[in-house]
Amino acid sequence: MALLHLFCAFFKVGLFAIGGAYSFLPLMQKEVVESHKWMDEDEFSHIVGMVELFPGAISIKFATYTGYKVAGVPGAIVANVANLLPPVLFMTVASLLYLRYGGVPAVKGALAMVRCAVIAMLIAIAIKLAQTHVPLSLKAVPVLVASFLLLTLTKIHPALVIIGAALYGGLVR
Amino acid sequence: MQMVTRLFVSFALIGLAAYGGGLVTIPLIQHEIVDNRNWLNLAEMAQIVAIAQMTPGPIAINAATFTGFRLAGVVGAAVATLAVVLPSISVLGLLTPLLERAGQSRHVQKLRQGIQIGVLSLILFAVWSYGRGVIAAWPDMLLAGASFLFLVLFEARLHPIVVILAGGVVGLVVF
C-alpha cells in the first residue's frame, strides 16, 4: 500500500513539475509533508539544504530519499520510476512531433519565442539565487568573476568550476 | 550498439556533474553533447531546451530522452535517461548516511556555500552562451526583456509555464 501511495504522489509531482524549480518545491512539499506526512516541515527544509551537496535534479533526490525512508530500496525505485514516467512519455511524444513538424514556420516561430522566454527565466533564477542563497560577500565576487571568465574564455569542463568553487568555499574561506 | 554505450557514458557524466539542477545543467549538456560529441549543433540544443521547458520534468532528463531518441530510437532514449539519473541516485544512497552525521559541521556548510557560488556562475554562463545562440535581433531581445519583467513582477502569482506559453503564442502570431 505504501508503494502505491509513493507511486501516485511522485507521478503527480513528475506530471505537474513544469517550469523547473520555481514550481517544483511547493508541489513536492504539498505531497510529501501535507498530504502524506512522510516528513515534517523541518526535515523537508533540512533535506532541501542537504541535497545541494549531491549532483542531479532535486526531484530525483527527493524521490530517492523519500522512497527509501518510506519503503526501503523498493520504495526508492518505485518513487523514481513514477517521477520519471511523465517527463519521459511527454518528451518522447514531443521529440516525435518536433522531428516531424519542427520545420513548419508557425512551430519554428513559437519555439523561437519560447527560447527568448527561457533566457528571461535564466536571468530571473540567477537573481533569485544571488538574493536568497549565495551570501554575496566581497570574498565571493572574485570567485564568481573568475568562474564566469573561465567558462566563457576557455573550454574548461563546467563541473571543474563547481568543484573549484566548492573547494574554495570549504577550505579557503 | 556502440552508439548506445557512448550515450550511456555521456549522460552518466552529465548526471554526475549536474550540480544545482534545472537550467544550470544547460552548460553541462552543451559541453558534452554539442562541443565534445557533436551530436547536435547549438541551434538544435536551444530547441531542446525550449521543448523541455514546455514538458514536465528536469531539463537534463528531457535532454537525455530527446538526444537518445534522436540518435538511437526508443532504446537510446531509455538508456540515456537511465544514465542521467543513476549517478544522482547512487551518490545520494552512498553518501547520505555519512552526511547525516557531518551535515551540521562548519566545513560542510562552507562547502555548500562554495557550490552555490559555482552554480551561480554556471547560470550566468548559461545566459551568455544560450543567449548568443538565441538572440539574433532586436525583437528577440525585446521579448526576452518583456518575459523577464513579467517573471519578476508577478513572481509569486504567475506560474512560469504561463510565460513560456505566452512566448509561444506571440511567436505563432508574429511569424
Side-chain angles (χ1 to χ4, degrees):
Chain A
M1 207 53 197
L3 288 180
L4 190 68
H5 283 307
L6 276 172
F7 187 90
C8 292
F10 280 95
F11 189 84
K12 225 192 273 180
V13 173
L15 185 61
F16 293 115
I18 308 176
Y22 264 119
S23 56
F24 165 79
L25 277 179
L27 256 170
M28 183 64 96
Q29 188 183 28
K30 191 163 165 268
E31 286 300 320
V32 171
V33 179
E34 286 166 33
S35 303
H36 292 284
K37 304 200 165 38
W38 283 320
M39 58 183 81
D40 60 18
E41 197 71 50
D42 283 344
E43 189 177 359
F44 186 82
S45 26
H46 175 68
I47 299 305
V48 170
M50 198 186 69
V51 295
E52 267 179 69
L53 294 164
F54 303 117
I58 194 163
S59 64
I60 301 171
K61 294 184 279 195
F62 252 101
T64 309
Y65 180 90
T66 315
Y68 186 79
K69 188 187 173 190
V70 174
V73 173
I77 293 170
V78 165
N80 268 300
V81 168
N83 185 47
L84 283 176
L85 268 181
V88 169
L89 292 178
F90 269 85
M91 201 60 199
T92 308
V93 174
S95 310
L96 274 170
L97 289 176
Y98 172 71
L99 293 175
R100 180 165 294 181
Y101 300 109
V104 177
V107 177
K108 263 188 166 163
L111 282 175
M113 293 302 107
V114 171
R115 292 203 301 267
C116 293
V118 172
I119 295 195
M121 215 171 252
L122 277 167
I123 300 175
I125 290 173
I127 291 175
K128 200 176 179 187
L129 190 71
Q131 277 177 341
T132 54
H133 294 295
V134 182
L136 264 187
S137 61
L138 280 176
K139 285 176 195 160
V141 174
V143 185
L144 194 62
V145 174
S147 310
F148 183 76
L149 288 179
L150 270 176
L151 285 165
T152 36
L153 299 178
T154 69
K155 292 252 167 209
I156 189 174
H157 196 289
L160 291 179
V161 171
I162 300 261
I163 294 170
L167 288 179
Y168 174 83
L171 303 175
V172 182
R173 244 143 63 92
Chain B
M1 195 62 214
Q2 242 189 341
M3 179 50 96
V4 173
T5 317
R6 272 183 283 167
L7 273 170
F8 186 89
V9 172
S10 279
F11 278 98
L13 282 175
I14 292 173
L16 189 63
Y19 274 94
L23 294 169
V24 188
T25 40
I26 292 176
L28 280 166
I29 300 169
Q30 187 186 329
H31 188 89
E32 190 64 29
I33 305 304
V34 180
D35 300 340
N36 277 0
R37 299 282 194 181
N38 294 315
W39 279 334
L40 305 172
N41 59 38
L42 201 58
E44 285 173 307
M45 154 98 195
Q47 296 285 36
I48 296 186
V49 175
I51 295 170
Q53 283 306 99
M54 292 188 287
T55 54
I59 212 154
I61 292 169
N62 296 152
T65 309
F66 182 95
T67 314
F69 187 79
R70 169 87 191 273
L71 295 174
V74 174
V75 177
V79 167
T81 308
L82 196 66
V84 90
V85 300
L86 272 183
S88 177
I89 297 174
S90 349
V91 172
L92 186 71
L94 290 173
L95 290 186
T96 301
L98 290 175
L99 278 173
E100 278 298 340
R101 265 174 264 149
Q104 297 311 314
S105 93
R106 258 170 47 88
H107 279 295
V108 174
Q109 297 292 342
K110 281 167 138 192
L111 210 62
R112 180 150 70 218
Q113 291 180 357
I115 290 177
Q116 283 167 348
I117 298 173
V119 165
L120 183 57
S121 77
L122 233 62
I123 298 181
L124 293 175
F125 173 65
V127 173
W128 160 255
S129 64
Y130 186 74
R132 273 196 320 171
V134 167
I135 295 187
W138 280 105
D140 301 340
M141 191 79 105
L142 221 66
L143 195 93
S147 315
F148 178 69
L149 278 180
F150 265 104
L151 275 174
V152 173
L153 291 176
F154 300 102
E155 196 198 308
R157 282 158 289 167
L158 197 71
H159 195 285
I161 190 67
V162 177
V163 176
I164 295 285
L165 290 179
V169 172
V170 170
L172 271 177
V173 175
V174 173
F175 287 91

